[in-house]
Amino acid sequence: NCWKKGTSSSDSECSECSSTSQSSSTSSDDSEEMFIYITKKRNLITITNFLEILNKYEDVQFKEHFRMERKLCTHLIKSHEVLSRYKSVRENVTPEKATYLTIWYNLANIETLRQISDRFGICKSTAHRIITKVVNFLVSQSKNYITWPTGSRKNEIIKKFNEKSGIDGIIGAIDGCHIQIKKPHTTDMDIIAYYYKQIYCGEVGCMHDSRLLKKSSLYDRGNNGILGDNFRLGDSAYPCVEWLIPPYKDNGN
């Protein structure tokens, strides 16, 4: 009903209402056209030959970009069956591309999903699924690689430390590394403490390295003699104990 001037649309149609009706119809048509436009599949222009460029990198340049040697990346590509092949809308993503993409994005550089998808020639959603799957696989395999050194591996580590420092008996080094993350809503977790061949994480970033060490399982294992006659090196933030030696402090004496 048209309430203007007390008339109804059944008696006589108001010119303003008629105009509004036409405008609404036009607006509706425009909205429909706009909806069709924004849902139309885009023809994205991305880099399609980045893997060819990577294969031409010299070893030094490769390590600068990926923070690891090429042979380690090759080992990752060949070792995990989970990376058989990813099916994407535009193409099948090879294990090689999936591995390089994940390392480049997660471990070696600071780039957005938009940048990484453009660099490797896939859409953002595909890149996200690949990264999640590869990282979950690497985490599941971590215990096979992050292990306490024994036998020939232990002797090799001691030998290399001796060659560099002239001190015999060093089995490793220890330090903390602060990493900013999107922390869960239920905790203040924003630090990961990394120990040579052992990882302890989950404490807050403001915690002192010495206190962090004492909260970890490594502290009890060290006091119980897991290192034997060997010891670790730490910076001045760590306590001086039989199995952990920090620098001597220069107090003038």
Side-chain angles (χ1 to χ4, degrees):
N1 289 335
C2 176
W3 298 100
K4 193 175 182 71
K5 298 180 181 179
T7 61
S8 67
S9 56
S10 59
D11 297 328
S12 63
E13 187 171 325
C14 172
S15 60
E16 289 187 40
C17 288
S18 176
S19 175
T20 302
S21 176
Q22 293 174 3
S23 175
S24 299
S25 176
T26 303
S27 176
S28 176
D29 293 341
D30 291 343
S31 299
E32 185 175 355
E33 290 177 2
M34 178 61 71
F35 177 78
I36 294 174
Y37 173 75
I38 63 176
T39 57
K40 184 179 179 180
K41 182 179 178 181
R42 295 183 299 166
N43 183 25
L44 297 176
I45 306 300
T46 58
I47 301 172
T48 58
N49 64 334
F50 189 57
L51 283 185
E52 298 177 13
I53 298 174
L54 289 181
N55 292 329
K56 295 179 181 179
Y57 281 173
E58 296 182 356
D59 291 341
V60 174
Q61 186 180 13
F62 185 92
K63 190 173 183 179
E64 287 176 347
H65 285 293
F66 286 91
R67 306 291 294 276
M68 64 177 64
E69 296 180 356
R70 189 192 300 271
K71 62 181 181 181
L72 179 55
C73 283
T74 303
H75 172 72
L76 291 175
I77 294 170
K78 293 180 178 180
S79 64
H80 38 80
E81 299 175 356
V82 69
L83 294 181
S84 55
R85 189 170 288 269
Y86 289 88
K87 291 184 179 180
S88 174
V89 175
R90 293 182 174 84
E91 64 172 328
N92 288 334
V93 181
T94 63
E96 182 182 24
K97 178 181 285 192
T99 303
Y100 285 146
L101 182 153
T102 302
I103 296 174
W104 187 287
Y105 174 76
N106 265 57
L107 309 177
N109 301 282
I110 302 175
E111 290 191 357
T112 62
L113 280 175
R114 173 180 55 80
Q115 293 171 311
I116 204 71
S117 62
D118 177 69
R119 183 183 298 277
F120 286 88
I122 59 178
C123 64
K124 289 182 290 185
S125 58
T126 301
H128 181 268
R129 287 196 298 271
I130 289 174
I131 291 168
T132 301
K133 193 169 185 178
V134 175
V135 168
N136 287 339
F137 174 79
L138 294 177
V139 171
S140 70
Q141 298 296 308
S142 61
K143 293 183 179 179
N144 297 331
Y145 298 93
I146 304 176
T147 57
W148 198 262
T150 57
S152 60
R153 178 57 179 160
K154 175 181 176 180
N155 295 331
E156 181 183 357
I157 293 173
I158 294 174
K159 180 181 178 181
K160 288 185 176 181
F161 271 107
N162 183 277
E163 292 174 352
K164 291 181 176 295
S165 66
I167 303 174
D168 191 29
I170 303 174
I171 192 60
I174 181 174
D175 201 2
C177 179
H178 187 271
I179 299 177
Q180 294 182 350
I181 64 171
K182 291 183 178 180
K183 55 189 178 183
H185 298 294
T186 57
T187 181
D188 291 327
M189 181 179 66
D190 61 354
I191 189 172
I192 177 170
Y194 173 76
Y195 305 112
Y196 188 83
K197 287 297 181 182
Q198 180 167 338
I199 292 176
Y200 173 71
C201 61
E203 305 295 345
V204 295
C206 60
M207 185 175 294
H208 193 274
D209 285 346
S210 178
R211 184 183 175 197
L212 185 63
L213 169 65
K214 293 178 180 179
K215 288 174 68 68
S216 72
S217 61
L218 176 63
Y219 190 74
D220 293 331
R221 297 174 70 189
N223 289 337
N224 291 330
I226 189 175
L227 276 72
D229 296 331
N230 304 115
F231 60 92
R232 293 189 176 203
L233 298 181
D235 59 29
S236 57
Y238 290 97
C240 182
V241 292
E242 291 184 0
W243 55 274
L244 174 58
I245 308 298
Y248 288 105
K249 296 180 180 180
D250 183 5
N251 56 10
N253 296 323

